[in-house]
Amino acid sequence: MQAVIGLLVMMLGASYGLETYCDSRQDGAQCFGPLGGTVVLQLLDRAVQTHRYKLLTKTMIILNVINNKILSNDKEKRSSFNLSDGTFRLNNLSRTDSGEYNLEIREGIKITCHALRLTIQAPVSSVRLASECLSQGEKRVSCSSGGGDSPQYSWTLDGRSLTDAELQSVNTETNSITLRQHVSGIVACSVENNVSRFCGFTFIKCTSNETQISQWVFAANNMLCFEPTTPPTTISESSTVVDHSLLVCGVRAAVVVFALIGIAIYFAWKKKKYKKDEGSAYRPEREHQDESVVIVEM
């Protein structure tokens, strides 16, 4: 099972096909692209036939468009410009693609120019969580990421933010937190930067004798972090796995069966008693009627 989960994490951790979008129609836009991935720059609403467009850096012209015709594209092998929606797509991004870009729009003698800043970042590739029980039943959980430029860490407990009553301390240098004695549940660590996000989950519960009752880890590179629908299997101190859910379900089923049997017996008894009472009430009435008839005949 652990091997399957590890393989799944490796598959989800791949950054192939990662793509970001940036609206760069305003001057001074800050855009980010994933290293090895794709960035889509919204340069304008759409290309107008009577206008001339140039996308350039300080040293070279990247794109030159006149009358809705692309005259030149310096990055033609890994880029494309969509005339209908005004987007410029740049694939297989490298560190050298970072820098200042300028879009020059010429309409007759009128020239409009706005700049954008493109920064290429390595995406976060994985998340690892480590947890331990402390002497008084506190829980320390640390989080680390594989790769990624300028990662930012955040924590949640059962899908919500931690409160001061639950959080004992935070260490930003080691990216770890310490939870108070009474706290237990699903602790999630989210690691993200401007081009990617990864989440890891661990379920932990500690006792005062430093026993870690259970632990389970899940990771995924979805843009949103999803909580597991059920908690992990509890591991006892003797490392024997006990499926309490089956026991509970069995007890509940037995209670339901006995309840149904009791109800059936009760209604059967009531029905039998009703018939008996009905018979006893019916018979005297018939005898009285017979006696009345005899009296009339005399």
Side-chain angles (χ1 to χ4, degrees):
M1 183 64 179
Q2 292 181 352
V4 174
I5 294 176
L7 179 59
L8 179 61
V9 171
M10 290 175 61
M11 292 173 62
L12 293 175
S15 60
Y16 302 110
L18 196 60
E19 181 178 296
T20 57
Y21 170 85
C22 181
D23 188 350
S24 54
R25 287 172 291 185
Q26 298 296 323
D27 187 37
Q30 297 289 327
C31 301
F32 297 88
L35 183 65
T38 300
V39 63
V40 179
L41 302 175
Q42 185 76 53
L43 298 179
L44 46 121
D45 296 329
R46 63 181 180 86
V48 181
Q49 187 173 359
T50 58
H51 294 180
R52 178 175 180 175
Y53 307 96
K54 285 184 179 180
L55 180 64
L56 46 95
T57 64
K58 295 179 179 180
T59 58
M60 62 185 303
I61 297 176
I62 305 296
L63 182 69
N64 190 8
V65 180
I66 299 178
N67 296 330
N68 276 4
K69 292 183 180 180
I70 301 175
L71 299 184
S72 64
N73 184 354
D74 184 70
K75 301 181 184 295
E76 184 176 4
K77 292 183 179 180
R78 58 188 185 95
S79 70
S80 62
F81 179 65
N82 192 324
L83 296 168
S84 61
D85 62 9
T87 57
F88 182 71
R89 177 184 295 269
L90 185 58
N91 306 307
N92 194 21
L93 294 169
S94 64
R95 299 284 187 183
T96 57
D97 292 317
S98 296
E100 298 283 346
Y101 291 79
N102 286 277
L103 178 65
E104 182 183 289
I105 304 173
R106 180 169 297 184
E107 181 184 0
I109 60 174
K110 180 182 176 182
I111 299 177
T112 304
C113 185
H114 61 260
L116 67 96
R117 173 74 185 182
L118 178 61
T119 302
I120 307 302
Q121 284 189 339
V124 177
S125 60
S126 64
V127 168
R128 295 180 180 178
L129 288 94
S131 57
E132 60 177 325
C133 296
L134 305 181
S135 58
Q136 299 301 319
E138 301 93 341
K139 304 92 182 167
R140 179 181 293 132
V141 186
S142 60
C143 184
S144 60
S145 62
D149 293 330
S150 305
Q152 300 294 321
Y153 295 82
S154 59
W155 298 87
T156 59
L157 175 66
D158 294 331
R160 57 175 177 77
S161 299
L162 287 161
T163 64
D164 293 338
E166 298 165 334
L167 194 60
Q168 182 167 310
S169 63
V170 179
N171 191 326
T172 56
E173 294 182 358
T174 60
N175 301 316
S176 63
I177 59 173
T178 301
L179 303 176
R180 299 186 186 277
Q181 295 177 355
H182 67 282
V183 180
S184 63
I186 300 175
V187 179
C189 171
S190 177
V191 186
E192 61 183 312
N193 57 14
N194 293 288
V195 298
S196 63
R197 184 181 185 185
F198 245 92
C199 293
F201 297 94
T202 182
F203 182 87
I204 184 172
K205 183 178 181 180
C206 299
T207 59
S208 58
N209 61 354
E210 305 181 40
T211 302
Q212 184 168 311
I213 301 299
S214 59
Q215 183 179 3
W216 178 77
V217 176
F218 173 81
N221 67 337
N222 298 332
M223 294 304 293
L224 297 175
C225 299
F226 297 96
E227 292 183 20
T229 55
T230 55
T233 303
T234 299
I235 304 175
S236 66
E237 296 182 12
S238 60
S239 301
T240 302
V241 177
V242 180
D243 193 345
H244 296 284
S245 60
L246 291 177
L247 180 60
V248 172
C249 290
V251 173
R252 289 181 178 177
V255 171
V256 173
V257 171
F258 283 116
L260 292 175
I261 293 174
I263 292 172
I265 294 174
Y266 172 77
F267 278 105
W269 175 77
K270 287 287 290 182
K271 184 177 181 180
K272 184 177 180 180
K273 185 176 182 300
Y274 174 76
K275 288 183 177 180
K276 183 178 180 180
D277 293 343
E278 184 182 25
S280 61
Y282 180 76
R283 213 171 282 123
E285 182 180 355
R286 292 293 299 169
E287 291 176 359
H288 181 69
Q289 288 180 356
D290 291 342
E291 291 176 357
S292 299
V293 172
V294 172
I295 293 173
V296 169
E297 287 179 348
M298 289 178 63

